[in-house]
Structures are given as structure tokens and as C-alpha cells.
Amino acid sequence: MTEIFKMHQLNYQGVTLLKGMARKQFEEALDYFMKLPDDDILYGFRKRAGLAHPGRELGGWYSNDGSFNIYDWDEIFNTFGQWLSFFAKAYAVTDSKEVHGKLKHLIHEWGKTLEKDGYFFYSWNNNAHHYSYEKIMTGLVDSYAYAGLEEAKELLSQITVWARAKLPAFRNRADGKRATFTGGEPSIRCVDNEWYTLPENLYRAYLVTGDERYKEFAEKWHYHLYWESMRQGDSSYLAGVHGYSHVNTLCSAAMAYQMTGDKKYLDTIVGACEILHKYQLLASGGYAFDEHMAEREDSNYYAVESIGKSFEAACGAYAVFKLTRYLLMFTGKAEYGDWAEKVLYNALFAALPMIDDDKRRGKTFYYADYRLGGGRKVYYEHSFPCCSGTYPQAMAEYHNIIYFYNKEELYISQYLPSVLDISAEDGRMRVEIRTGYPVEEKVKIVFKEDLNRHLKLRIPLWVKDTEVTVEINGAAKKCEVIPGEWLWIDRKWKREDSLEIKFPMHLYTVPICNSHPERAALMYGPVMLAAKGRHSQINADFKNPENDIERTEAGLRFEAKDKSMQFIPYWEYKEKEWNTVYLDYLKK
């Protein structure tokens, strides 16, 4: 089999975030979930099992007693497994005994609530939900892989024995057409609950345990129809399907490629990325108004006029982080880091934090609102929705999207202030990124040890290549700079060497769709800007916005030259503050 990886991830090892937005968000998320009482998290599981259940129900989508029924799906959205995943990865990056202790206790106590056959679902008619199994499985895989918990491995086996025997093989098509049936238990009702996301973590379970059962089970859930349509460049199947899960299932195709080496799976995720960028992506890197992909190339033009559910921010961004990581590792192409950069700054950094108040717990930012005419950031109406699971998972990913490596090179894909300190076969890799990017244009790389690899830096697609400057140890260095490629300098890096690169930023617009370039969002470098207040039009040129809009002061502050509106980064808006992302540009 040909070599699968052009570069490798660090698997949450050796990376420490330094002061900045990413570290602040991660620490706030960890603090929030560490403070959730274990008895409250376990309450519903214990109650269903007939055990003593101290604590109190968390509520909302985390209800396990039948008190909450979203779309008659009977609590399949329980986020317990996603929280286990977060704690496992948080332990890997912090080495915190407290985090490890909480994770271990939750898994041990949850294990007591399983029935002998591995059944653990919570619904009145014994629905067998693929979604719930996949989330719990993911948490147990990560708890074994990143926290070394043997009990997680044992419980993973236990619930998978049940799943192999009982999960129905109904495969509801995402376009709403009649489901197919290929075995399993026909008496169990099944809705479309994302069966097609199962292979990714089943394959990961096989890799970390060596148990062939997981590999065999993963192969049964390949999404052949959708994956093949993406491989062939057919965008029609994508129209109208659920957005987040149809990006997330591409991660299953990626793992199928890793396991088999069959190039059709690589072609699937590459082809899907091209289709998504051409027909679906918004300026923030988001996609899927009201959680469903655009029906045709120009439908987003109309959707942005009325649909406030512009992007399922945390879930959608989490899927992008994973998919772009696979694409980087398999292809080695820097360009895929740009999608991750967009959702990093404009979706996740812009998300409201998890909070509780006197009225309810688990208040979660679910949908970003980019409407023409103005939108606001608000908390979701119900507690602990699906995004309360992917929100912390995405925070943990911050540690895993910055650095990549192979035997010859160290790659930097994202410019988050951080320290890499990890042992390799040919010596220690110790570098530090010092920057205020993207508020600042300069990024400084400092070498803490000799580096026995070439250093490669991602050049963002939005840069003007002639304006990028590089200094090594304070002296200017002439380099070939190509947007969307890696910058490589042929040099052996020594301890205390430094490299400083400057990415001059400029204003430009990103259209809502290619057929309507005049309806667009304003960007500055990788940052999506939003106008203060509610607007629909601006007397400016979408081709050359700098002719009509100027920077006004330190920081990212901009104003139309006719004084009609002011712009700041979308991430700066707080709850219920009116802002406008998309505008019609009147000058042609």
C-alpha cells in the first residue's frame, strides 16, 4: 500500500497555547464543564437503571427521563460521549490530575448503568439510535486513546456487542426518499440520525484496540451513494441535505482511505471540498442555512434575506477542523488550512461562551446569524443542545490544528500563539509562536532548540504575495511567496534563531454566491467584519472596497468614507447586539 500520510498530526501532544483568544476560550470551556457536578451529569443514566440518583436533571437536550422530546427523537442528542471526548483531550493537553479524575469517575459510574447486553439508550420504545451510540463510542475511544483508561476500552466493547446485534441497518436517505433495509432488528423504529458518521470512530477504535470487530462494523456503514457522488463531482446529491453531518461523514470517508489506501476515498473528500467551496461556503467558512445545504448555486442569495439560522457554528466548525486536518495529512497541501482558519476566527472565536443563569443551565450558542438587514447573537432556546457537545470538542482541537510534521519537515498551519515541545526520533522539536495575529500582521517564530527539519509556513490564500516580508534574526530575507502554498526557507535552524513573517492585510469582499458578487461580506485578512447595527446596502464597490471603506484607528476598526456605517470583527459582537454581515454593494 502506498504511503498514506504526507504529514502527521501531533494527537494533542506537546502543544501549549499561550495568552490569546484560543487559550481563553479553551480554559473557559474547561472550567465550565469541570464545574458541572458528576451527579448531575449521571442523573438520568442512574435513574433509568433504577440506581440511586443524587443530583438533579441538567435539562433540555440532556434530559434522560422522557421530559424532553426533540422532534420525537427521544433524547438521542445526549452529549455525554462528547463531553468524555473533551475531557480526554483536555487531559492530553493539560496533564491535569483533576481532569483525569473526573473523566475516570464519570466512565466508571456510567458503566454501572449499562444493562448486561450493553444497552444504554433512553427512550420509551427502545429506539436504537445510531447517533447516541456514535457519540458515546467516540468518548470511550478518546478516553482510552488519550487518557489510558482501560475501563473505557471494556465499556466500548460492551456497547458495541449490543450495537452489532441490535442497531438496525435502515439507511434513511438524507434526501427524504424511502429508506433501504439490509438486516438488523426490523421491529425497531429508526429515523435518519446520522448513521453515516459511524465509520470514522469505529475505524479509530480498531486502530487503538486492534480489535477486528470495529473494522468490520465500520465497513457496514459506508455512505456509498453520497461519497461516490462527491468523488465524481456531482453536487446534486448535496442539495438540501443536513449540512453538519454531511461534512462530518466525509471524515468517515477519510478514515476509510487511511484504513484501505483506496484512492477513491481520497478523491471523495477532495472532490467534496471543491464542491463545498464552490456552491456552499459562506465568508465565515460556514455552510448550510437552517442546517441544510443550498439547493442550487444561487439559493444562498435568497436564504440570507430571511433565514437567521445561518450556520450551526460549533458543530459545523468541529467537522471542518477534522476534515481539513485529514486533507492536510493526506495531500500535504497548505490550501486546506485556509478553511480551518476561516471557521477558527469567524465561527468559533465569535461564539458566545457556555453559561448558566438563574433561569436555566447549559445556555449554548447554536446558530450564527448573518442576515441581510441585520442579525444578532443569541443563546439557543433549549439547554445543552448538540452544540454543547461539539463546542468544547472544537476548543480541544485548537491544540491539534497548528503544527504538523514528517521526517523532513515541521509545518505550521495556524498562527495561534503557542509552544511546541515534543521529542522526535532525530531530536526535540521546540518552537514558539509569538503573535497577536490576526489583529496584528506579524508572526514571530522562535527556535528553542536546533531543529533537524525544514520549517514550512502556510501562506494564506487571501494574501498579496508581493507584500509578504520575511526577516531571519532581524535581517530581511528574500523568499518566494505563493498564496495557498507552504513557504520554505532552505536553512538549518539553530537554537535562539528567529523568523518573523508579516502578512499585510487588506479589505476585500466574499460574495454570498458566485452569481451575485454584489451581495457580499467584508473581510480584512482572515477576519470577517460586520457592520454595526442593521443595514441592507452600502454605497461601496465590492471589487475595490478600500476605495470606499477605510481603517480608522488602532485595532480592527473600519468606517465607510461617507460615514454611513462602521465595521468591527464579527467575533467582537456580544449577545443581542445588532450587526450586519452581508450587504448589497451598490457601486459596480
Side-chain angles (χ1 to χ4, degrees), residues 275-541:
I275 290 172
L276 286 162
H277 278 71
K278 185 175 182 180
Y279 297 115
Q280 303 289 342
L281 253 59
L282 306 173
S284 65
Y287 46 90
F289 280 94
D290 200 17
E291 299 193 29
H292 292 83
M293 294 294 193
E295 293 282 353
R296 58 185 189 276
E297 196 273 337
D298 64 348
S299 62
N300 282 343
Y301 176 80
Y302 303 100
V304 77
E305 294 178 346
S306 59
I307 298 176
K309 299 175 180 179
S310 303
F311 178 41
E312 192 179 0
C315 288
Y318 176 57
V320 170
F321 280 167
K322 291 192 300 169
L323 179 58
T324 54
R325 179 157 40 83
Y326 287 124
L327 285 163
L328 281 164
M329 290 191 297
F330 296 154
T331 70
K333 294 183 178 180
E335 63 191 71
Y336 294 114
D338 274 70
W339 192 7
E341 182 178 72
K342 286 181 179 179
V343 298
L344 171 65
Y345 296 118
N346 304 312
L348 285 170
F349 279 9
L352 299 174
M354 293 284 301
I355 61 170
D356 299 339
D357 62 20
D358 294 337
K359 295 181 180 180
R360 61 185 172 96
R361 308 164 80 182
K363 293 180 67 173
T364 305
F365 182 67
Y366 195 140
Y367 297 111
D369 185 352
Y370 307 144
R371 273 178 295 179
L372 185 82
R376 296 188 298 174
K377 296 178 185 178
V378 296
Y379 284 100
Y380 189 60
E381 58 186 319
H382 299 298
S383 300
F384 295 112
C386 53
C387 285
S388 72
T390 49
Y391 178 82
Q393 285 181 298
M395 304 298 113
E397 290 300 310
Y398 290 167
H399 302 81
N400 215 33
I401 61 174
I402 306 171
Y403 304 95
F404 296 84
Y405 73 99
N406 57 31
K407 291 181 179 180
E408 290 81 31
E409 291 118 355
L410 172 65
Y411 298 83
I412 296 180
S413 180
Q414 302 300 327
Y415 298 108
L416 292 175
S418 57
V419 173
L420 170 66
D421 187 352
I422 194 166
S423 294
E425 294 179 359
D426 57 349
R428 201 164 189 85
M429 291 188 285
R430 293 186 66 210
V431 300
E432 181 176 332
I433 300 176
R434 300 174 183 173
T435 185
Y437 179 94
V439 177
E440 300 173 359
E441 296 178 332
K442 290 183 178 180
V443 176
K444 188 172 185 178
I445 315 295
V446 179
F447 298 84
K448 297 297 186 179
E449 298 284 353
D450 294 355
L451 182 66
N452 295 321
R453 286 171 169 77
H454 298 299
L455 180 70
K456 290 192 171 182
L457 307 177
R458 179 179 62 86
I459 303 300
L461 283 166
W462 51 262
V463 304
K464 296 178 179 178
D465 55 332
T466 57
E467 297 179 352
V468 175
T469 59
V470 177
E471 292 184 0
I472 297 176
N473 298 328
K477 173 73 174 179
K478 188 174 182 180
C479 302
E480 182 182 16
V481 175
I482 303 174
E485 301 285 348
W486 301 106
L487 171 69
W488 172 56
I489 299 170
D490 187 9
R491 177 186 175 90
K492 292 186 177 180
W493 299 98
K494 300 296 182 181
R495 183 176 182 177
E496 299 305 327
D497 276 352
S498 67
L499 179 154
E500 186 171 276
I501 186 168
K502 182 178 180 181
F503 300 113
M505 299 182 190
H506 59 281
L507 289 172
Y508 60 100
T509 62
V510 174
I512 189 68
C513 58
N514 293 331
S515 57
H516 291 279
E518 78 285 354
R519 180 167 289 180
L522 185 65
M523 305 289 292
Y524 185 72
V527 181
M528 185 174 75
L529 304 172
K532 293 182 178 181
R534 307 182 68 179
H535 306 275
S536 295
Q537 300 174 334
I538 183 170
N539 189 31
D541 181 358

Side-chain angles (χ1 to χ4, degrees), residues 170-181 195 225 237:
F170 285 108
R171 285 159 172 76
N172 285 19
R173 286 177 51 166
D175 58 8
K177 295 184 179 179
R178 186 177 180 86
T180 57
F181 178 67
W195 56 266
L225 181 61
Y237 191 83

